[in-house]
Amino acid sequence: MMVPSKLNLKQEKRNWLDLPSDVTANILNRIGMVDILENAQKVCTAWRKICKDPAMWRVINMNDLRGAIAEVSADKMCKHAVDRSQGQLVDITIVSTYDAELHLYVADRTSELRRLEMAHLFFFGKLTTVALMKYPLLEELNLYEIRISKEEIETVGRYCPMLKTLKVNKRGYEGSLTRYNEIAIAIGQNLPGIRHLELIGNKMTNVGLRVILDNCHHLETLDLRECLYIDLEGDLGKQCSKQIKYLKLPNDSLEDYPYIYLTESEYFNDDYYYVDAYEVST
């Protein structure tokens, strides 16, 4: 067996700058928003050009910022990333106590959005009806601890005709059982094409659930975990089992609930003082 000479080993070394730009972009996309804006784009002109390409910012996930920077700076960085997308943003996850403001900011800068996830970890957040009118291509809307109204469901039904997935998950208590039933009824009456529905922690009764089942005939996935005011012992339970391919019941485990273990102190690190250097070198 031939042993490679030192000369051959030297010849096999490659310069990172020689990589094709699409390969470099793929690598940089994996390191997260903070490292891209704070470090990678400052390495060289070629990397900076790639980091400023709008295609790099088609997907933005504020979970990338967890534990790295203070929340106010996280919001600024998120807005900066949205600006860099230049209208090409298709997927965003907003995790913030300023979610309504960020929601409007995104809506004013893209009409291409396919997926929107919003999580308000420490207090109930809220949607913005005006923003919901600007997502004609939206296919997936995921809400965690976000306040939503019957009117906003109606807005989604009217202005988001492509919607196939809706998650309205709220583990805290807010309002009367009547209000929860109103939201469930609005889903049934306004989103007949929905295929995947999560209502974790919803306080609706059998009245609201029946409207959903009777109207959403394309529904394949239904998550009813912690929906403790429904009774699935009788005909309604049989209808669920017959109609729904993937059904989660009120007492099923919440182990895969994405934001269940997070607290404010864990999520944004107030000990990290982020300097808005990226705003200087935009």
Side-chain angles (χ1 to χ4, degrees):
M1 183 176 67
M2 282 187 64
V3 178
S5 67
K6 292 183 178 180
L7 178 61
N8 288 334
L9 287 175
K10 286 182 180 179
Q11 290 174 343
E12 290 173 6
K13 290 182 179 179
R14 297 189 61 182
N15 190 328
W16 280 77
L17 298 180
D18 293 334
L19 289 174
S21 59
D22 60 332
V23 175
T24 302
N26 186 286
I27 294 171
L28 293 177
N29 258 322
R30 300 167 190 267
I31 68 174
M33 197 187 311
V34 175
D35 278 329
I36 289 175
L37 294 174
E38 280 290 84
N39 301 309
Q41 71 171 3
K42 301 174 183 178
V43 169
C44 61
T45 303
W47 281 24
R48 179 160 181 77
K49 182 179 179 181
I50 292 171
C51 291
K52 294 192 73 172
D53 186 345
M56 281 283 291
W57 305 99
R58 287 168 57 83
V59 177
I60 297 172
N61 188 346
M62 285 189 72
N63 283 306
D64 292 344
L65 308 180
R66 180 186 174 192
I69 61 177
E71 185 182 5
V72 173
S73 297
D75 291 341
K76 289 181 181 179
M77 186 176 282
C78 184
K79 288 180 179 179
H80 183 58
V82 171
D83 292 340
R84 283 201 173 185
S85 73
Q86 295 183 22
Q88 295 185 31
L89 182 64
V90 297
D91 183 327
I92 187 167
T93 298
I94 296 175
V95 186
S96 172
T97 55
Y98 306 103
D99 40 40
E101 179 188 345
L102 276 176
H103 187 203
L104 275 173
Y105 194 87
V106 171
D108 288 339
R109 286 159 180 81
T110 181
S111 59
E112 302 294 317
L113 204 67
R114 266 71 166 181
R115 178 186 175 277
L116 170 63
E117 178 165 309
M118 297 177 66
H120 194 117
L121 303 181
F122 324 122
F123 308 95
F124 289 142
K126 60 181 179 179
L127 283 175
T128 308
T129 302
V130 175
L132 291 172
M133 296 178 180
K134 300 181 180 183
Y135 301 136
L137 302 179
L138 194 67
E139 300 174 1
E140 182 175 339
L141 178 60
N142 304 333
L143 307 175
Y144 297 87
E145 309 305 332
I146 298 291
R147 184 180 294 113
I148 190 169
S149 66
K150 175 175 73 75
E151 291 74 22
E152 285 165 336
I153 293 291
E154 293 169 351
T155 299
V156 170
R158 179 176 300 178
Y159 291 95
C160 307
M162 308 290 290
L163 195 74
K164 296 294 184 289
T165 299
L166 176 65
K167 301 179 183 180
V168 183
N169 297 326
K170 185 185 297 185
R171 301 184 63 237
Y173 188 85
E174 180 194 2
S176 64
L177 299 185
T178 300
R179 181 184 177 280
Y180 284 99
N181 273 333
E182 287 178 350
I183 292 172
I185 292 169
I187 291 172
Q189 292 177 341
N190 294 277
L191 302 175
I194 203 76
R195 295 182 183 275
H196 309 285
L197 180 62
E198 286 189 11
L199 296 172
I200 297 173
N202 193 290
K203 307 302 186 293
M204 65 181 171
T205 65
N206 285 17
V207 173
L209 179 57
R210 190 175 297 280
V211 173
I212 291 173
L213 293 174
D214 289 346
N215 290 277
C216 301
H217 301 296
H218 301 285
L219 196 59
E220 300 174 10
T221 303
L222 180 59
D223 193 333
L224 298 173
R225 287 178 290 176
E226 290 200 353
C227 294
L228 302 178
Y229 290 82
I230 57 175
D231 180 4
L232 299 178
E233 293 295 326
D235 292 340
L236 194 62
K238 294 177 181 178
Q239 184 179 355
C240 279
S241 299
K242 181 179 179 181
Q243 184 175 336
I244 306 301
K245 187 181 295 185
Y246 305 105
L247 177 66
K248 291 188 177 181
L249 300 173
N251 292 316
D252 286 351
S253 171
L254 283 170
E255 185 177 359
D256 61 344
Y257 190 80
Y259 298 97
I260 191 170
Y261 299 119
L262 298 182
T263 65
E264 182 170 5
S265 59
E266 290 175 323
Y267 203 88
F268 290 112
N269 182 2
D270 290 330
D271 294 329
Y272 185 103
Y273 294 97
Y274 174 70
V275 179
D276 295 325
Y278 68 91
E279 293 186 354
V280 178
S281 55
T282 57

